[in-house]
Amino acid sequence: MRPQPSFLPLSSVEAKSLGIEQFDIILVTGDAYVDHPSFGTALIGRVLWDAGFSVGIIAQPDIKTEQDFTALGKPRLFFGISSGNVDSMVNNYTPNLKRRSSDVYSPGGIAKRPDRATIVYTNRIHSLYPDVPIVLGGIEASLRRFAHYDYWQNRVRQSILADAPATLLAYGMAERQMVEIAQRLDNGKPSRLLRDIQGTMYTMEVAEWRTPRPQGIVEIPCFSEVVSDTAAYAKAFAIHYKEQDPLHGRPVAQPHPKTVIVQNPPARPLSSSELDHAYDLPFTRLAHPSYREPVPALLPVQFSIVSHRGCFGSCSFCALTHHQGRIVQSRSPESIVREVIRMAAMPEFRGIVQDVGGPTANMYNMGCDLWDAAGACPDKFCSPACKNLKTNHRKLRELLKKIREVPGVKKVFVGSGIRYDLVLADDEGFMFLKDLCEHYVSGHLKVAPEHVSPVVTAAMNKPDGVFFDRFLTLFTAFQKGKPKRQYLVPYFMSGHPGCTIKDMIELAEYIRDHKVYTEQVQDFTPTPLSVSTCMYYTGLNPFTLEPVHVPKGQEKKIQRALMQYKEPQNLDLVLEGLRTADRNDLIGTGGKCLVVGKKLPGLVKAGARSSTEKVGQKDRDQL
């Protein structure tokens, strides 16, 4: 087995220096190559190399020519293609559908990633090397693996595996399945026969699908149905959502006009020792030395630690259930401390561990008694109220203390979000929050209640607002006697399915009363394969098929404005929203008013103006 190189090779010159005449595997990515475990291509590349395969990387190829795609030659086994760490459409456009001028995953922030990068790269590779298997991976492929609503085109698109000429799609984090694909191909197994690897998808000819097919495959409504019938779309989503478990999940098939895509059950999560081994690989935590400008995305994570994967929160607007899954997989404290020791030895390290966490920071080492034998429950979401869910924070507290004690470490931060309902559900949670305030946050602690209206938090599958109230009270109590006060920075969301203008006014009043006004707001963006996106497109709860209110157009703008009611540029929209909800009592000179100033003409009586009437310049001057 070849020893791991300082960097995985980007050029034929680097390959020759390592004695490589032909790569076993070539990975193509829309990101710059940063040799850091938070960057998917680096992680997969290192894991494959550790398994005995030589790996080259084509980073951010120029799609206008063949040169970059042919620079490393033809791989012996397969091409692996990813858009990078982010879906290319999310990366390239703002929530308002305006093209971004820069890309933090590119040297100097220069935008190089094409729209729908996975499809574009796959078409180029397939045209140049039609006989070489292609495996899709990464977040873009993972979350577009079924027919899905595409916000950027405002239509339902086919599975990415139906649009791109690929052999397989490896979804999720994919270390296990990528190694198995490589090993089977290395043993001479034809790629067309790789149909039983968990965590992968493959295609089947329509004619083959119509003949007697293997037993146990769940068929969901086909593309033609979901593109023309929103109820069929919602039903399809609910069916495949419930099969996303490695223990009880079944294969799922969705016919498309020219092919049938089949998803095998998710891959078994990595064990603690397997996670340790992956993160113990010799990452340099640096961008490839060929880059003359820094890669902005590296800066905030260069000295951060991934402590665990998975999240049992199942927030509706998050697609993590379809990617990392609900089962939390935690690394050992010993492995994490070893990684911190390696970081501390780097000349670039200044004593600051930027983050220790995962999708939810305080889920480290939490779990359920049933996961190992039965997987996550298919008929209910995990909750601190469940007696089988272990929510103790003791091991996380011990881990953070060990990291603080590593020589060379001056400060450890927990920058990932925390679930405040887990803090409140555990006796150790009180001490964890105390530790957090004393040692692991600077001036601000970020949490994400998202909303306070019970109707909206239920649609989001977030804890009720009463839990945030309790957490806010507890956090405030910890500030007593501090020479330098810390502040809670809550993240709220507007425009989520199920949210009305009245709900947003309730949130605005909460922000006013609790003095948690912030300039950082989130407007719901429908990203592929989340429950919320399904509700946004269909207007239905996919699990009950009950109607859901979906704010769009002018109402969505009003909702966002209400969350920032103090901003002068939002005046027109805030007034329109208040009038629409018949809340003229919040306009004027009273201490509870959201729009404060001299009373506007005609506002003494409720409903004095049409909810659609614009505010004139005279009104604005009076305010």
Side-chain angles (χ1 to χ4, degrees), residues 40 44 82 84-86 136-145 169-175 177 199 241 244-246 263 266-267 269 309-311 318-327 329 359 528-530:
I44 292 294
S82 165
N85 266 18
V86 185
L136 307 184
I139 195 76
E140 181 166 277
S142 190
L143 300 186
R144 293 177 180 269
R145 63 185 186 264
L169 186 156
Y171 66 92
M173 298 302 285
E175 294 99 339
Q177 49 268 52
Y241 185 93
Q244 303 307 316
D245 187 90
Q263 175 196 272
R309 293 178 178 176
C311 178
C318 177
L320 199 73
T321 297
H322 276 82
H323 191 63
Q324 290 191 8
R326 290 166 59 189
I327 296 175
Q329 310 128 62
L529 229 59
S530 73

Side-chain angles (χ1 to χ4, degrees), residues 422-437:
L422 295 178
V423 172
L424 298 170
D426 172 33
D427 292 338
E428 287 272 346
F430 177 88
M431 295 305 298
F432 168 71
L433 182 58
K434 185 173 183 291
D435 289 351
L436 204 62
C437 293

Side-chain angles (χ1 to χ4, degrees), residues 468-488:
F468 182 61
D469 284 341
R470 289 172 56 196
F471 181 80
L472 185 58
T473 300
L474 188 59
F475 176 82
T476 303
F478 280 128
Q479 302 309 307
K480 292 180 180 179
K482 277 185 173 292
K484 188 176 181 180
R485 179 182 170 83
Q486 296 166 318
Y487 295 91
L488 205 61

Side-chain angles (χ1 to χ4, degrees), residues 81-314:
I81 296 179
S82 165
S83 72
N85 266 18
V86 185
D87 182 284
S88 59
M89 302 305 288
V90 174
N91 187 81
N92 292 352
Y93 294 88
T94 70
N96 292 327
L97 304 179
K98 295 180 180 178
R99 179 170 283 277
R100 300 184 197 272
S101 58
S102 62
D103 185 340
V104 297
Y105 289 94
S106 183
I110 298 171
K112 296 182 178 181
R113 192 189 323 257
D115 292 353
R116 311 195 187 281
T118 303
I119 296 173
V120 173
Y121 294 156
T122 305
N123 283 329
R124 290 297 265 158
I125 289 291
H126 183 68
S127 68
L128 294 167
Y129 303 102
D131 59 330
V132 178
I134 296 175
V135 180
L136 307 184
I139 195 76
E140 181 166 277
S142 190
L143 300 186
R144 293 177 180 269
R145 63 185 186 264
F146 291 102
H148 55 279
Y149 171 73
D150 185 85
Y151 174 63
W152 297 267
Q153 290 185 329
N154 192 30
R155 69 179 179 89
V156 176
R157 287 184 62 94
Q158 295 189 128
S159 161
I160 198 168
L161 201 52
D163 281 339
T167 314
L168 293 169
L169 186 156
Y171 66 92
M173 298 302 285
E175 294 99 339
R176 189 185 302 283
Q177 49 268 52
M178 290 294 280
V179 170
E180 186 169 352
I181 291 167
Q183 289 172 338
R184 291 206 195 180
L185 292 175
D186 190 42
N187 290 331
K189 188 87 169 181
S191 60
R192 67 180 183 278
L193 298 182
L194 301 184
R195 290 185 166 186
D196 61 343
I197 300 175
Q198 284 192 231
T200 66
M201 295 183 76
Y202 61 91
T203 59
M204 183 184 294
E205 295 290 337
V206 174
E208 181 185 358
W209 176 250
R210 288 173 178 166
T211 61
R213 63 189 74 132
Q215 296 295 313
I217 298 180
V218 178
E219 182 177 356
I220 63 175
C222 68
F223 176 78
S224 298
E225 291 179 89
V226 301
V227 79
S228 60
D229 182 352
T230 54
Y233 184 104
K235 290 175 184 176
F237 182 91
I239 295 170
H240 67 66
Y241 185 93
K242 292 179 180 179
E243 302 299 338
Q244 303 307 316
D245 187 90
L247 276 79
H248 59 69
R250 297 171 294 175
V252 178
Q254 186 174 47
H256 283 61
K258 295 182 179 180
T259 191
V260 177
I261 59 106
V262 184
Q263 175 196 272
N264 288 316
R268 179 170 53 85
L270 297 184
S271 65
S272 180
S273 61
E274 288 170 326
L275 266 182
D276 288 352
H277 185 75
Y279 285 91
D280 278 341
L281 294 174
F283 298 95
T284 64
R285 311 184 87 86
L286 299 170
H288 191 273
S290 64
Y291 299 132
R292 296 182 179 180
E293 296 184 85
V295 179
L298 174 60
L299 184 62
V301 300
Q302 185 172 17
F303 299 110
S304 65
I305 298 289
V306 175
S307 58
H308 61 284
R309 293 178 178 176
C311 178
F312 52 77
S314 303

Side-chain angles (χ1 to χ4, degrees), residues 379-600:
D379 57 342
K380 60 182 178 180
F381 295 112
C382 297
S383 162
C386 177
K387 66 178 190 292
N388 294 313
L389 188 65
K390 307 305 179 188
T391 59
N392 192 277
H393 288 74
R394 179 175 54 83
K395 289 193 175 181
L396 176 55
R397 293 181 62 215
E398 293 173 352
L399 170 66
L400 294 171
K401 185 174 184 293
K402 288 179 180 178
I403 295 173
R404 278 176 25 223
E405 295 170 349
V406 171
V409 171
K410 300 175 183 177
K411 188 72 177 176
V412 179
F413 289 112
V414 175
S416 303
I418 65 168
R419 286 280 298 220
Y420 48 86
D421 57 327
L422 295 178
V423 172
L424 298 170
D426 172 33
D427 292 338
E428 287 272 346
F430 177 88
M431 295 305 298
F432 168 71
L433 182 58
K434 185 173 183 291
D435 289 351
L436 204 62
C437 293
E438 288 184 2
H439 301 292
Y440 308 118
V441 296
S442 54
H444 300 87
L445 174 63
K446 299 174 183 176
V447 292
E450 307 296 358
H451 217 284
V452 296
S453 164
V455 173
V456 183
T457 54
M460 293 177 166
N461 199 34
K462 292 286 289 185
D464 191 89
V466 67
F467 291 99
F468 182 61
D469 284 341
R470 289 172 56 196
F471 181 80
L472 185 58
T473 300
L474 188 59
F475 176 82
T476 303
F478 280 128
Q479 302 309 307
K480 292 180 180 179
K482 277 185 173 292
K484 188 176 181 180
R485 179 182 170 83
Q486 296 166 318
Y487 295 91
L488 205 61
V489 180
Y491 285 88
F492 294 113
M493 182 182 293
S494 63
H496 189 275
C499 184
T500 65
I501 289 177
K502 287 186 177 181
D503 293 320
M504 285 308 299
I505 293 173
E506 180 181 348
L507 176 57
E509 290 188 282
Y510 183 93
I511 291 170
R512 175 202 65 201
D513 295 342
H514 291 80
K515 298 179 174 60
V516 288
Y517 188 88
T518 176
E519 294 180 2
Q520 296 179 331
V521 299
Q522 296 171 283
D523 190 29
F524 171 69
T525 303
T527 52
L529 229 59
S530 73
V531 176
S532 300
T533 297
C534 180
M535 291 192 286
Y536 178 89
Y537 171 63
T538 65
L540 300 170
N541 180 319
F543 307 117
T544 65
L545 296 183
E546 294 176 350
V548 176
H549 173 74
V550 180
K552 294 183 179 180
Q554 184 71 356
E555 183 187 349
K556 204 165 188 287
K557 293 178 182 178
I558 290 171
Q559 289 201 17
R560 181 184 175 89
L562 281 164
M563 203 154 45
Q564 294 179 302
Y565 59 86
K566 292 183 180 180
E567 308 306 311
Q569 67 270 23
N570 290 337
L571 176 60
D572 290 6
L573 291 169
V574 172
L575 286 173
E576 184 177 348
L578 294 175
R579 289 168 179 151
T580 298
D582 197 21
R583 291 301 305 274
N584 288 330
D585 58 300
L586 297 176
I587 307 169
T589 57
K592 295 287 188 178
C593 289
L594 297 181
V595 178
V596 180
K598 295 179 180 179
K599 288 187 178 180
L600 294 173

